Amino acid sequence: MLWPSTVIGAGAGFAIASIPGALLGALLGQAMDRRLQLHSWAHLRERLGGRPALRDDEVLFVLLGRLAKCDGRVADGHIQQARQEMQRLEMNEPARRRAIAAFNRGKAGKDRLGVYLRRVRQQPHAAEGMLRACWRMVWADGRAGRRERELLLDWGQQLGWSTSRVQALALEYEPRRHNLTSATLGYQDALHLLGVEAHAEPGQIKQAYRRLLSRHHPDKLVGSGASPSQVREATERTRELHQAYSIVRKRQGF
């Protein structure tokens, strides 16, 4: 990774005071890189253009905004889906305001996202969550266009996912499949799946959901020698837990 201010500082310092100047300039430049969160020359150009660096919780909504605007018009379904993602992440009001600003920024399509995606790549669980949210946004208007698919495949590659794995994830959010699951999973079924009673406190329900999610998540099988069928089963179980929790939350209003 090339830190722009570090390189500039070292070069300027060397021109002024040879090697000692280069060392001092590099140290000062590195401090500036860290303070301004500059990770690449593209990132520096972005900052010089007046766009602040994205926080980790803003990157997702920039991606969602770009997908929503991909076909030229942001539909009501896209707006609603963005709101659902904020709710899913249990964002407080300041975080929601940042997410809305990031979503609008993403619609402009001017950000170079590679440096941010490579950073998320170091967190496999976060990378999967990001791709899942993106596919939900793609299907928010009931169809997945060619450009949207191309973006998802490109982002998936930068997050360390294979093309086939990204495409397989899309099937989980295809409207026909999603609606079928929603129709067959009722409130009592959702409670049973989460292992909680109808009178359980919201905190108890959240704890049960997170415990089950941690136990069954397919990431747990990475490097364990699990078969493809076991990974698919874990993926399906995780999707059912997401759906069950969503149903219970909606019914109980928390």
Side-chain angles (χ1 to χ4, degrees), residues 141-175:
D141 61 354
R143 59 191 179 87
R146 179 180 61 83
R147 179 56 182 155
E148 292 168 313
R149 291 180 180 274
E150 289 175 350
L151 280 175
L152 259 296
L153 291 177
D154 177 52
W155 295 342
Q157 185 177 36
Q158 295 186 67
L159 288 169
W161 281 49
S162 66
T163 297
S164 59
R165 192 179 176 199
V166 175
Q167 291 173 329
L169 193 62
L171 297 177
E172 295 187 37
Y173 298 99
E174 185 178 353

Tab-separated table of all heavy atoms in Angstrom, residues 141-175:
chain	number	residue	atom	x	y	z
A	141	ASP	N	-36.646	-3.825	-6.721
A	141	ASP	CA	-37.643	-3.438	-7.727
A	141	ASP	C	-38.145	-4.641	-8.516
A	141	ASP	O	-38.790	-4.488	-9.560
A	141	ASP	CB	-37.071	-2.382	-8.677
A	141	ASP	CG	-35.846	-2.878	-9.442
A	141	ASP	OD1	-35.375	-4.001	-9.155
A	141	ASP	OD2	-35.357	-2.150	-10.324
A	142	GLY	N	-37.833	-5.850	-8.029
A	142	GLY	CA	-38.362	-7.059	-8.642
A	142	GLY	C	-37.564	-7.624	-9.789
A	142	GLY	O	-37.939	-8.649	-10.371
A	143	ARG	N	-36.446	-6.986	-10.155
A	143	ARG	CA	-35.636	-7.504	-11.263
A	143	ARG	C	-34.178	-7.129	-11.052
A	143	ARG	O	-33.871	-6.173	-10.344
A	143	ARG	CB	-36.118	-6.937	-12.603
A	143	ARG	CG	-36.071	-5.415	-12.685
A	143	ARG	CD	-36.785	-4.878	-13.908
A	143	ARG	NE	-36.750	-3.422	-13.963
A	143	ARG	CZ	-35.759	-2.721	-14.505
A	143	ARG	NH1	-34.720	-3.365	-15.046
A	143	ARG	NH2	-35.782	-1.404	-14.524
A	144	ALA	N	-33.310	-7.910	-11.667
A	144	ALA	CA	-31.871	-7.663	-11.571
A	144	ALA	C	-31.334	-7.409	-12.973
A	144	ALA	O	-31.256	-8.322	-13.800
A	144	ALA	CB	-31.158	-8.857	-10.934
A	145	GLY	N	-30.962	-6.178	-13.272
A	145	GLY	CA	-30.465	-5.814	-14.588
A	145	GLY	C	-29.023	-6.234	-14.819
A	145	GLY	O	-28.308	-6.592	-13.872
A	146	ARG	N	-28.595	-6.172	-16.063
A	146	ARG	CA	-27.234	-6.590	-16.414
A	146	ARG	C	-26.183	-5.751	-15.701
A	146	ARG	O	-25.213	-6.275	-15.158
A	146	ARG	CB	-27.042	-6.470	-17.930
A	146	ARG	CG	-25.633	-6.876	-18.405
A	146	ARG	CD	-25.527	-6.734	-19.921
A	146	ARG	NE	-25.747	-5.354	-20.323
A	146	ARG	CZ	-24.782	-4.417	-20.307
A	146	ARG	NH1	-23.563	-4.714	-19.872
A	146	ARG	NH2	-25.044	-3.180	-20.691
A	147	ARG	N	-26.369	-4.429	-15.681
A	147	ARG	CA	-25.387	-3.545	-15.057
A	147	ARG	C	-25.289	-3.806	-13.555
A	147	ARG	O	-24.196	-3.788	-12.970
A	147	ARG	CB	-25.762	-2.084	-15.324
A	147	ARG	CG	-24.813	-1.072	-14.705
A	147	ARG	CD	-23.382	-1.287	-15.147
A	147	ARG	NE	-22.469	-0.350	-14.519
A	147	ARG	CZ	-21.181	-0.575	-14.328
A	147	ARG	NH1	-20.638	-1.720	-14.708
A	147	ARG	NH2	-20.417	0.336	-13.759
A	148	GLU	N	-26.421	-4.057	-12.918
A	148	GLU	CA	-26.418	-4.352	-11.480
A	148	GLU	C	-25.642	-5.635	-11.191
A	148	GLU	O	-24.842	-5.691	-10.253
A	148	GLU	CB	-27.857	-4.487	-10.980
A	148	GLU	CG	-28.639	-3.178	-11.001
A	148	GLU	CD	-30.126	-3.403	-10.793
A	148	GLU	OE1	-30.684	-4.304	-11.460
A	148	GLU	OE2	-30.719	-2.676	-9.976
A	149	ARG	N	-25.870	-6.640	-12.016
A	149	ARG	CA	-25.147	-7.900	-11.837
A	149	ARG	C	-23.647	-7.711	-12.045
A	149	ARG	O	-22.822	-8.285	-11.325
A	149	ARG	CB	-25.685	-8.963	-12.802
A	149	ARG	CG	-27.096	-9.441	-12.474
A	149	ARG	CD	-27.570	-10.491	-13.453
A	149	ARG	NE	-28.905	-10.961	-13.147
A	149	ARG	CZ	-29.181	-11.943	-12.289
A	149	ARG	NH1	-28.181	-12.546	-11.638
A	149	ARG	NH2	-30.413	-12.322	-12.075
A	150	GLU	N	-23.287	-6.924	-13.040
A	150	GLU	CA	-21.872	-6.674	-13.308
A	150	GLU	C	-21.202	-5.987	-12.114
A	150	GLU	O	-20.076	-6.334	-11.740
A	150	GLU	CB	-21.718	-5.809	-14.562
A	150	GLU	CG	-22.048	-6.543	-15.863
A	150	GLU	CD	-22.010	-5.620	-17.075
A	150	GLU	OE1	-21.925	-4.377	-16.867
A	150	GLU	OE2	-22.067	-6.125	-18.203
A	151	LEU	N	-21.892	-5.018	-11.532
A	151	LEU	CA	-21.343	-4.338	-10.364
A	151	LEU	C	-21.144	-5.305	-9.203
A	151	LEU	O	-20.103	-5.292	-8.541
A	151	LEU	CB	-22.273	-3.197	-9.928
A	151	LEU	CG	-22.193	-1.890	-10.712
A	151	LEU	CD1	-23.257	-0.913	-10.219
A	151	LEU	CD2	-20.814	-1.258	-10.585
A	152	LEU	N	-22.155	-6.146	-8.969
A	152	LEU	CA	-22.054	-7.099	-7.857
A	152	LEU	C	-20.914	-8.086	-8.058
A	152	LEU	O	-20.198	-8.428	-7.109
A	152	LEU	CB	-23.376	-7.843	-7.672
A	152	LEU	CG	-24.291	-7.363	-6.538
A	152	LEU	CD1	-23.640	-7.553	-5.191
A	152	LEU	CD2	-24.654	-5.906	-6.717
A	153	LEU	N	-20.731	-8.556	-9.278
A	153	LEU	CA	-19.637	-9.489	-9.554
A	153	LEU	C	-18.281	-8.805	-9.354
A	153	LEU	O	-17.343	-9.402	-8.821
A	153	LEU	CB	-19.749	-10.033	-10.979
A	153	LEU	CG	-20.940	-10.966	-11.235
A	153	LEU	CD1	-20.985	-11.370	-12.713
A	153	LEU	CD2	-20.869	-12.209	-10.352
A	154	ASP	N	-18.182	-7.556	-9.785
A	154	ASP	CA	-16.935	-6.810	-9.614
A	154	ASP	C	-16.647	-6.565	-8.139
A	154	ASP	O	-15.532	-6.802	-7.660
A	154	ASP	CB	-17.026	-5.480	-10.361
A	154	ASP	CG	-15.785	-4.621	-10.165
A	154	ASP	OD1	-14.663	-5.134	-10.397
A	154	ASP	OD2	-15.909	-3.451	-9.769
A	155	TRP	N	-17.648	-6.108	-7.404
A	155	TRP	CA	-17.452	-5.864	-5.972
A	155	TRP	C	-17.147	-7.164	-5.239
A	155	TRP	O	-16.310	-7.189	-4.331
A	155	TRP	CB	-18.694	-5.203	-5.377
A	155	TRP	CG	-18.960	-3.828	-5.923
A	155	TRP	CD1	-18.060	-3.023	-6.581
A	155	TRP	CD2	-20.188	-3.097	-5.875
A	155	TRP	NE1	-18.668	-1.835	-6.938
A	155	TRP	CE2	-19.962	-1.851	-6.522
A	155	TRP	CE3	-21.452	-3.364	-5.351
A	155	TRP	CZ2	-20.954	-0.880	-6.652
A	155	TRP	CZ3	-22.450	-2.403	-5.484
A	155	TRP	CH2	-22.206	-1.184	-6.121
A	156	GLY	N	-17.834	-8.240	-5.634
A	156	GLY	CA	-17.579	-9.528	-5.004
A	156	GLY	C	-16.141	-9.970	-5.193
A	156	GLY	O	-15.500	-10.473	-4.267
A	157	GLN	N	-15.624	-9.770	-6.402
A	157	GLN	CA	-14.236	-10.132	-6.677
A	157	GLN	C	-13.283	-9.338	-5.784
A	157	GLN	O	-12.310	-9.883	-5.246
A	157	GLN	CB	-13.914	-9.880	-8.143
A	157	GLN	CG	-12.519	-10.329	-8.563
A	157	GLN	CD	-12.270	-10.128	-10.047
A	157	GLN	OE1	-12.732	-9.151	-10.632
A	157	GLN	NE2	-11.560	-11.041	-10.663
A	158	GLN	N	-13.548	-8.044	-5.627
A	158	GLN	CA	-12.690	-7.211	-4.782
A	158	GLN	C	-12.814	-7.592	-3.305
A	158	GLN	O	-11.889	-7.336	-2.517
A	158	GLN	CB	-13.032	-5.737	-4.977
A	158	GLN	CG	-12.724	-5.239	-6.382
A	158	GLN	CD	-12.925	-3.748	-6.531
A	158	GLN	OE1	-12.201	-2.968	-5.938
A	158	GLN	NE2	-13.919	-3.354	-7.324
A	159	LEU	N	-13.934	-8.220	-2.946
A	159	LEU	CA	-14.124	-8.692	-1.571
A	159	LEU	C	-13.607	-10.114	-1.373
A	159	LEU	O	-13.722	-10.669	-0.280
A	159	LEU	CB	-15.612	-8.639	-1.210
A	159	LEU	CG	-16.198	-7.242	-1.011
A	159	LEU	CD1	-17.722	-7.292	-0.933
A	159	LEU	CD2	-15.630	-6.583	0.241
A	160	GLY	N	-13.038	-10.695	-2.455
A	160	GLY	CA	-12.447	-12.023	-2.343
A	160	GLY	C	-13.388	-13.169	-2.646
A	160	GLY	O	-13.075	-14.321	-2.331
A	161	TRP	N	-14.528	-12.895	-3.266
A	161	TRP	CA	-15.506	-13.936	-3.590
A	161	TRP	C	-15.359	-14.345	-5.048
A	161	TRP	O	-15.078	-13.518	-5.911
A	161	TRP	CB	-16.925	-13.417	-3.367
A	161	TRP	CG	-17.345	-13.415	-1.927
A	161	TRP	CD1	-16.640	-12.915	-0.865
A	161	TRP	CD2	-18.574	-13.924	-1.398
A	161	TRP	NE1	-17.349	-13.073	0.288
A	161	TRP	CE2	-18.542	-13.683	0.004
A	161	TRP	CE3	-19.682	-14.530	-1.952
A	161	TRP	CZ2	-19.589	-14.056	0.840
A	161	TRP	CZ3	-20.734	-14.893	-1.122
A	161	TRP	CH2	-20.679	-14.668	0.255
A	162	SER	N	-15.607	-15.622	-5.324
A	162	SER	CA	-15.598	-16.107	-6.701
A	162	SER	C	-16.896	-15.702	-7.388
A	162	SER	O	-17.916	-15.427	-6.731
A	162	SER	CB	-15.468	-17.629	-6.725
A	162	SER	OG	-16.616	-18.241	-6.170
A	163	THR	N	-16.879	-15.685	-8.728
A	163	THR	CA	-18.074	-15.335	-9.496
A	163	THR	C	-19.231	-16.268	-9.182
A	163	THR	O	-20.374	-15.829	-8.977
A	163	THR	CB	-17.767	-15.384	-11.003
A	163	THR	OG1	-16.771	-14.396	-11.308
A	163	THR	CG2	-19.012	-15.102	-11.831
A	164	SER	N	-18.950	-17.572	-9.124
A	164	SER	CA	-20.014	-18.547	-8.873
A	164	SER	C	-20.625	-18.363	-7.491
A	164	SER	O	-21.833	-18.525	-7.300
A	164	SER	CB	-19.464	-19.972	-9.016
A	164	SER	OG	-18.401	-20.196	-8.111
A	165	ARG	N	-19.810	-18.000	-6.517
A	165	ARG	CA	-20.315	-17.812	-5.153
A	165	ARG	C	-21.212	-16.583	-5.070
A	165	ARG	O	-22.245	-16.604	-4.400
A	165	ARG	CB	-19.133	-17.689	-4.193
A	165	ARG	CG	-19.514	-17.778	-2.718
A	165	ARG	CD	-18.300	-17.675	-1.833
A	165	ARG	NE	-18.652	-17.675	-0.432
A	165	ARG	CZ	-17.875	-17.243	0.550
A	165	ARG	NH1	-16.651	-16.796	0.251
A	165	ARG	NH2	-18.266	-17.264	1.810
A	166	VAL	N	-20.825	-15.515	-5.762
A	166	VAL	CA	-21.656	-14.307	-5.773
A	166	VAL	C	-22.980	-14.591	-6.465
A	166	VAL	O	-24.045	-14.173	-6.006
A	166	VAL	CB	-20.922	-13.148	-6.477
A	166	VAL	CG1	-21.831	-11.924	-6.592
A	166	VAL	CG2	-19.649	-12.765	-5.718
A	167	GLN	N	-22.942	-15.310	-7.579
A	167	GLN	CA	-24.164	-15.636	-8.309
A	167	GLN	C	-25.078	-16.542	-7.500
A	167	GLN	O	-26.301	-16.402	-7.542
A	167	GLN	CB	-23.808	-16.282	-9.644
A	167	GLN	CG	-23.156	-15.326	-10.632
A	167	GLN	CD	-22.665	-16.015	-11.884
A	167	GLN	OE1	-22.281	-17.189	-11.851
A	167	GLN	NE2	-22.655	-15.295	-12.990
A	168	ALA	N	-24.480	-17.483	-6.755
A	168	ALA	CA	-25.285	-18.383	-5.931
A	168	ALA	C	-26.016	-17.604	-4.838
A	168	ALA	O	-27.163	-17.910	-4.500
A	168	ALA	CB	-24.397	-19.454	-5.315
A	169	LEU	N	-25.361	-16.587	-4.309
A	169	LEU	CA	-25.980	-15.777	-3.260
A	169	LEU	C	-27.213	-15.043	-3.787
A	169	LEU	O	-28.190	-14.838	-3.062
A	169	LEU	CB	-24.960	-14.774	-2.721
A	169	LEU	CG	-25.302	-14.047	-1.421
A	169	LEU	CD1	-25.444	-15.044	-0.276
A	169	LEU	CD2	-24.228	-13.020	-1.092
A	170	ALA	N	-27.180	-14.683	-5.057
A	170	ALA	CA	-28.304	-13.955	-5.657
A	170	ALA	C	-29.594	-14.768	-5.594
A	170	ALA	O	-30.690	-14.202	-5.434
A	170	ALA	CB	-27.975	-13.602	-7.108
A	171	LEU	N	-29.487	-16.086	-5.721
A	171	LEU	CA	-30.676	-16.933	-5.757
A	171	LEU	C	-31.465	-16.871	-4.455
A	171	LEU	O	-32.678	-17.081	-4.448
A	171	LEU	CB	-30.274	-18.384	-6.052
A	171	LEU	CG	-29.604	-18.633	-7.407
A	171	LEU	CD1	-29.207	-20.091	-7.534
A	171	LEU	CD2	-30.537	-18.216	-8.544
A	172	GLU	N	-30.767	-16.590	-3.349
A	172	GLU	CA	-31.453	-16.539	-2.058
A	172	GLU	C	-32.417	-15.369	-1.972
A	172	GLU	O	-33.346	-15.382	-1.161
A	172	GLU	CB	-30.433	-16.448	-0.925
A	172	GLU	CG	-29.546	-17.667	-0.786
A	172	GLU	CD	-28.686	-17.583	0.461
A	172	GLU	OE1	-29.167	-17.073	1.494
A	172	GLU	OE2	-27.523	-18.017	0.402
A	173	TYR	N	-32.190	-14.343	-2.796
A	173	TYR	CA	-33.000	-13.137	-2.697
A	173	TYR	C	-33.873	-12.912	-3.915
A	173	TYR	O	-34.524	-11.882	-4.027
A	173	TYR	CB	-32.082	-11.924	-2.451
A	173	TYR	CG	-31.346	-12.075	-1.145
A	173	TYR	CD1	-30.038	-12.542	-1.119
A	173	TYR	CD2	-31.989	-11.824	0.064
A	173	TYR	CE1	-29.377	-12.733	0.093
A	173	TYR	CE2	-31.336	-12.009	1.268
A	173	TYR	CZ	-30.024	-12.466	1.275
A	173	TYR	OH	-29.378	-12.669	2.474
A	174	GLU	N	-33.895	-13.891	-4.812
A	174	GLU	CA	-34.796	-13.813	-5.951
A	174	GLU	C	-36.226	-13.758	-5.426
A	174	GLU	O	-36.613	-14.562	-4.573
A	174	GLU	CB	-34.612	-15.034	-6.846
A	174	GLU	CG	-35.416	-14.996	-8.121
A	174	GLU	CD	-35.159	-16.222	-8.983
A	174	GLU	OE1	-34.265	-17.016	-8.635
A	174	GLU	OE2	-35.867	-16.374	-9.981
A	175	PRO	N	-37.044	-12.791	-5.880
A	175	PRO	CA	-38.376	-12.592	-5.305
A	175	PRO	C	-39.227	-13.847	-5.190
A	175	PRO	O	-39.891	-14.065	-4.190
A	175	PRO	CB	-39.011	-11.580	-6.273
A	175	PRO	CG	-37.850	-10.791	-6.765
A	175	PRO	CD	-36.726	-11.790	-6.902
